[in-house]
Amino acid sequence: RGPLRVRWTLPDGSVFTTDAPRIQLGRIAEVHDDRGRLVRRNDIVVASGDTVSRAHAHVEFDGSDRSYRIFDDGSTYGTGVLHKGRLVDLAKAGARGFALSSGDEVYLGRERVRFEVE
């Protein structure tokens, strides 16, 4: 039993659907280091916001409880989740992450994406 199929609705209204075990979120599609080497590829690109970091956050599937957890990857403007009517600010890189529920809204800086389990 693998990852669940999830749908992300981006600020521009476009939709990204996936069942990948790890999903990267950021401002650009490919992140390179100062020597031009590829560091990571973002699955979800929110290019419209100047508060979204190049490598902002990632989401991992947790098979033990069949949920997705979101982690901030050291972003400048932070990551938050509007969960059951309250905003939860995620700790910077290295924390345990936060378990997402269908319908949660994820804030990358000031930009919002919606997470839903299909």
Side-chain angles (χ1 to χ4, degrees):
R1 296 179 35 127
L4 305 170
R5 188 145 186 86
V6 295
R7 179 176 55 242
W8 296 85
T9 305
L10 281 58
D12 65 3
S14 62
V15 174
F16 175 77
T17 305
T18 185
D19 61 356
R22 182 178 174 103
I23 304 156
Q24 311 263 68
L25 299 94
R27 186 178 68 237
I28 56 178
E30 292 187 343
V31 179
H32 297 88
D33 66 12
D34 58 355
R35 294 176 50 195
R37 296 175 297 188
L38 180 67
V39 175
R40 90 186 219 173
R41 287 193 172 114
N42 288 317
D43 304 294
I44 298 175
V45 176
V46 182
S48 60
D50 59 355
T51 61
V52 180
S53 295
R54 295 178 317 143
H56 198 103
H58 72 277
V59 176
E60 291 181 7
F61 181 72
D62 183 344
S64 65
D65 64 359
R66 301 199 42 78
S67 69
Y68 279 93
R69 298 188 78 78
I70 186 164
F71 301 84
D72 183 276
D73 290 338
S75 67
T76 302
Y77 290 94
T79 304
V81 178
L82 187 60
H83 176 76
K84 296 183 180 178
R86 73 179 178 97
L87 185 63
V88 177
D89 287 319
L90 274 63
K92 295 292 182 189
R96 191 169 174 269
F98 181 81
L100 293 171
S101 296
S102 189
D104 282 352
E105 295 178 353
V106 174
Y107 284 84
L108 307 172
R110 290 189 303 264
E111 297 296 320
R112 176 179 51 125
V113 295
R114 184 173 177 84
F115 171 85
E116 296 171 287
V117 177
E118 291 192 326

